[in-house]
Amino acid sequence: MKAIVMNGTVGREMLEYVERPDPVVGPGEALVEIAFAGVNFMDIGVRQGMAWTEVANPKILGVEGAGRVVELGEGVEDVAVGQRVAWVYAPGSYAQRIAIPATSLVPVPDGIDDRVAASVMMQGLTASHFATDFYPVQRGDIAFVHAAAGGVGLLLSQIIKLRGGSVIGRVSSQDKVAAAKGAGADHVIVDTEGRFAEEALRLTGGDGVHVVYDGSGPTTFQGSLDVLRRSGTFCWYGPVLGGPGLLDIMSLPKSIKIGYAVFSDHIPTPELLRAHTAQLFEWIADGKLKVRIGGEYQLADAATAHADMESRRTTGKLLLVP
Ligand SMILES: NC(=O)c1ccc[n+]([C@@H]2O[C@H](COP(=O)([O-])OP(=O)(O)OC[C@H]3O[C@@H](n4cnc5c(N)ncnc54)[C@H](OP(=O)(O)O)[C@@H]3O)[C@@H](O)[C@H]2O)c1
């Protein structure tokens, strides 16, 4: 099969499109023919050596996708050959086939196509965790969403709106404003210079927001603290773009809640994974959650997908077609 393999860290040039032996299914695993693999900002972190360093190179990149089960290992009962499935956090997804523990697979209902299923496993589960668990948005809440036209940002904005909140989004260029507004953002601030806090405070009459969702690196951290109202919640989530560095807890605004949100820690069982994914699929089937595919690339062009994502030009989800 064909796969995108990394042989070292750092540059996109280290991504090689190569022939690899087909994976062999072990006990408890299913072999899946991949229809679409999702591209996530996290993959850039893996490529740069920030995660999965415990897995030796050369390794196949990618953690997310959707496809069809073609073979079952011993003892697998909860999926069947021919069934359409999706997954997240399964290393080796930038490929034509993958062997995955069957308990990590979620069934994809008939009304959801493979593109959409592959698009929401990482970014959709992340967005729903942020707005329903980490900070359960209440009717009337005002949320500040960074990278509001990105994969997580577009889904997060829609889920906040579904729950009756309003959204102030931040994007880096005018080109992204329409996408962010299309996801329901009530206001969109175009900013890369750190002016967003001032503007958000003006929009909220000086009160600030109930919750800020910030995965945009160290340069936005102080501004995100500044836009929070008393007792506000800071949902920090972006290790790839860098963290704020060492924090003196006593220097933080009093009364705020702050944490590093990662959905997988809160969805640790196959039952919870299927329940949370079923909720996403239901919202999509009901027309309440729209998935924007920002780009589809041939598997061989994975490095171009990474380059586009890093250049801040993309909106929505990027997919690879094996
Ligand atoms: N904690 C978790 O469980 C979890 C799960 C999924 C994703 N994440 C994080 O969520 C963030 C979004 O991920 P995604 O996959 O949905 O990607 P994405 O939002 O589609 O793309 C990344 C966004 O980050 C901004 N960006 C890109 N390069 C940047 C740079 N050099 N400096 C500042 N901003 C830059 C861009 O938005 P603007 O140009 O509009 O600013 C871009 O749209 C990432 O930080 C990712 O690591 C965390």
Side-chain angles (χ1 to χ4, degrees), residues 39-42 89 122-123 126-127 129-130 146-153 170-173 176 191-192 214-217 219-220 236-241 260-264 309-318:
V39 178
N40 290 292
F41 213 80
M42 155 184 190
Y89 284 127
M122 173 70 87
Q123 295 167 345
T126 296
H129 168 60
F130 287 179
H146 282 280
V152 170
R170 184 208 51 78
V171 295
S172 61
S173 68
K176 297 182 176 180
D191 179 41
T192 52
D214 186 353
S216 286
T219 57
T220 51
W236 186 83
Y237 66 95
V240 178
L241 285 166
Y260 172 19
V262 179
F263 82 84
S264 55
M309 199 176 229
E310 287 175 273
S311 72
R312 306 180 78 164
R313 279 197 303 267
T314 61
T315 57
K317 184 69 188 178
L318 306 187

Side-chain angles (χ1 to χ4, degrees), residues 145-233:
V145 176
H146 282 280
V152 170
L154 287 176
L155 296 166
L156 179 58
S157 296
Q158 292 178 76
I159 297 170
I160 292 165
K161 297 294 289 185
L162 266 177
R163 292 178 63 89
S166 58
V167 173
I168 302 174
R170 184 208 51 78
V171 295
S172 61
S173 68
Q174 195 63 39
D175 299 349
K176 297 182 176 180
V177 171
K181 287 210 162 151
D186 300 271
H187 303 279
V188 181
I189 299 169
V190 179
D191 179 41
T192 52
E193 310 294 326
R195 290 178 298 95
F196 66 87
E198 197 183 319
E199 180 63 7
L201 285 171
R202 190 188 65 74
L203 288 168
T204 55
D207 290 343
V209 302
H210 296 83
V211 57
V212 58
Y213 297 100
D214 186 353
S216 286
T219 57
T220 51
F221 189 79
Q222 183 58 48
S224 292
L225 283 176
D226 296 342
V227 302
L228 273 184
R229 67 175 57 196
R230 197 180 291 271
S231 302
T233 297

Side-chain angles (χ1 to χ4, degrees), residues 6-7 30 51 54 86 111 140 172 183 194 226 251 298 311 315:
M6 52 182 281
N7 254 316
E54 67 279 12
S172 61
D226 296 342
S251 72
Q298 293 302 306
S311 72
T315 57

